[in-house]
Every structure is written in structure tokens, then in C-alpha cells.
């Protein structure tokens, strides 16, 4: 919701994370927090399969290019993220549309009805079910590039611990830091994706059209 709202001037905007939670609970009920849950669940299995399978394949291909291991991991992560984005983007369009709906959970359409409506109105292309694909490519590509590049490089630097508990903490800590850094770096793409896929400020007018123009607009108007 914070990514969709348009700065402090948005009349339906939220003042803080706490205000957002309270408002959703009061207006939309407990199930309001779970709007758009079905598309991510449907996408999760193919998303993970594509991510890790393609990462290994890109890593093998890059082995022939004689790249330094650290760079190879990052480039393989970028490739896997871009491939993953193509798979998940239609699910993201449906998810964001459902989450932007401020009616009660029971009053909004189902995921399948929403998907059919998007296809009927705007088709399967870049104005319909694949809207915001460039921003999604950026979001997943950048995240996986930073995540895999950082994770495998740091994991190979820090020595393996013989104690299973300490070894678990080592891997957990590296994964936590990798995911945090990757999220911080890729969040502008995520905001752009949500603005493009979400409702436009003025009905019938497209304000957020492309990834980098959307970033520029958000930066200019909201900092």
C-alpha cells in the first residue's frame, strides 16, 4: 500500500506503518491484510524452480567464459532474476490490483475473475497482464544479482564451522545480510513496479508508464 500511494498529498494515504495497519483492519477487516495472497502462492513453486534451476545453468555457461567466481555468481544471479521475472510478472499484476482494492475482502473479485477482467480490458501485453514487466525485470534481476553474488562470495570467505549450530548461524547470517542488502538496492524498482501496475492517480490517464520515467517522477515529486 505504501508503494502505491502517491506521497503526502494522497488523500487516501497512510501516515505511518501503524496507521496503515489500523486503517486496513478498521475498514477492510482482518482478511484485508491477505488481499492478493493467491497469485503469489500460485507463482511460488514455478518461481523458485526457475530461479535456482536457471542460476545453476547460467553458472555452468559462465564457467566457459573464465570469469572470476565472484563475478560469475553475480551475473548468473542477474540472469536467473531476469528469467524469473518473466514468469512471475502476470501474477504480480493481479496481486497488486487486488491489494489496491480498498473494499472489504468479501466484496472484491477473486484472483481468477480479476485476471480475466485484466485480459478482457487490456489484453496480455504490456498494458495488460504483462504491465510493468521492465520494472519487474529490474526488481528480480538486481535482487538476485546482489543476493547470489554477495552470498556465495562471503560464504566462501568465511570459514566453515564444524559445530552444526554455529554453521547454521553462519549461513543464516550471510543469507540475512544478503537479502537485506539486495532488498535495499532493488526497492526503487519495486516501487516503480507497484506504481505502474497499481491504479493511476487520474482514471483514464496513465501517469506511471515506464520503469525509469516512473522512478524519475517519484523522485521529482516525492524525493
Amino acid at each position: 500500500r505504501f508503494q502505491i500511494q502517491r506521497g503526502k498529498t494522497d488523500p487516501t494515504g497512510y501516515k505511518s506503518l501503524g496507521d496503515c495497519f489500523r486503517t486496513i483492519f478498521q475498514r477492510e477487516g482482518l482478511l484485508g491484510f491477505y488481499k492478493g495472497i493467491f497469485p503469489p502462492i500460485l507463482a511460488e513453486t514455478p518461481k523458485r524452480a526457475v530461479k535456482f534451476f536457471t542460476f545453476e545453468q547460467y553458472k555452468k555457461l559462465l564457467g566457459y567464459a573464465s570469469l572470476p567466481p565472484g563475478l560469475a555468481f553475480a551475473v548468473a544471479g542477474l540472469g536467473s532474476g531476469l528469467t524469473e521475472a518473466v514468469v512471475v510478472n502476470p501474477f504480480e499484476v493481479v496481486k497488486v490490483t487486488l491489494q489496491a482494492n480498498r473494499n472489504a475482502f468479501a466484496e472484491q473479485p477473486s484472483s481468477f475473475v480479476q485476471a480475466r477482467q485484466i485480459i478482457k480490458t487490456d489484453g496480455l501485453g504490456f498494458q495488460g497482464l504483462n504491465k510493468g514487466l521492465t520494472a519487474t525485470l529490474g526488481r528480480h534481476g538486481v535482487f538476485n544479482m546482489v543476493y547470489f553474488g554477495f552470498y556465495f562470495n562471503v560464504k566462501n570467505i568465511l570459514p566453515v564451522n564444524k559445530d552444526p549450530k554455529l554453521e547454521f548461524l553462519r549461513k543464516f547470517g550471510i543469507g540475512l545480510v544478503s537479502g537485506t542488502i539486495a532488498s535495499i538496492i532493488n526497492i526503487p524498482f519495486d516501487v516503480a513496479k507497484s506504481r505502474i501496475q497499481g491504479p493511476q492517480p487520474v482514471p483514464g490517464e496513465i501517469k506511471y508508464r515506464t520503469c525509469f520515467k516512473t522512478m524519475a517522477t517519484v523522485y521529482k515529486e516525492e524525493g
Side-chain angles (χ1 to χ4, degrees):
R1 292 283 177 89
F2 274 108
Q3 291 178 344
I4 295 170
Q5 71 184 37
R6 297 167 291 281
K8 296 179 181 179
T9 58
D10 190 338
T12 58
Y14 303 103
K15 300 174 184 177
S16 66
L17 182 62
D19 177 59
C20 180
F21 272 89
R22 284 193 300 272
T23 304
I24 290 174
F25 182 74
Q26 290 169 359
R27 295 180 180 175
E28 303 167 38
L30 183 63
L31 291 177
F33 296 110
Y34 295 93
K35 287 181 175 180
I37 188 66
F38 198 48
I41 290 175
L42 288 176
E44 194 61 26
T45 299
K47 169 186 169 182
R48 297 296 174 185
V50 168
K51 178 200 287 276
F52 291 104
F53 174 75
T54 56
F55 175 73
E56 292 299 328
Q57 300 310 307
Y58 288 129
K59 194 169 66 172
K60 288 178 183 178
L61 289 173
L62 291 167
Y64 298 108
S66 300
L67 293 175
L71 181 59
F73 285 130
V75 175
L78 174 62
S80 70
L82 295 175
T83 309
E84 175 189 27
V86 175
V87 175
V88 303
N89 192 66
F91 296 94
E92 286 290 318
V93 172
V94 178
K95 183 195 77 171
V96 171
T97 305
L98 291 171
Q99 290 178 343
N101 187 325
R102 298 189 183 223
N103 295 327
F105 186 89
E107 297 173 2
Q108 73 170 32
S110 69
S111 298
F112 291 109
V113 170
Q114 186 67 62
R116 283 200 300 269
Q117 181 61 38
I118 292 171
I119 294 170
K120 181 180 178 180
T121 305
D122 300 307
L124 296 168
F126 297 135
Q127 296 303 318
L129 207 58
N130 272 291
K131 186 191 301 182
L133 178 60
T134 303
T136 305
L137 288 168
R139 183 181 79 157
H140 287 267
V142 169
F143 181 90
N144 285 357
M145 179 179 69
V146 176
Y147 181 84
F148 283 115
F150 186 91
Y151 181 83
F152 283 104
N153 279 290
V154 174
K155 187 167 76 74
N156 291 334
I157 293 171
L158 296 180
V160 176
N161 202 299
K162 294 181 180 179
D163 186 326
K165 292 181 180 179
L166 293 177
E167 176 61 13
F168 167 77
L169 290 175
R170 181 183 78 97
K171 291 181 177 178
F172 178 82
I174 296 170
L176 179 64
V177 174
S178 302
T180 301
I181 294 173
S183 294
I184 291 171
I185 293 174
N186 91 322
I187 193 68
F189 290 98
D190 203 17
V191 173
K193 181 192 78 68
S194 296
R195 293 292 178 94
I196 294 168
Q197 295 176 346
Q200 299 293 317
V202 180
E205 295 182 13
I206 301 178
K207 179 178 182 179
Y208 304 110
R209 188 178 295 274
T210 63
C211 177
F212 292 105
K213 282 186 178 180
T214 298
M215 285 186 185
T217 300
V218 172
Y219 175 75
K220 181 181 178 181
E221 296 181 353
E222 303 166 39

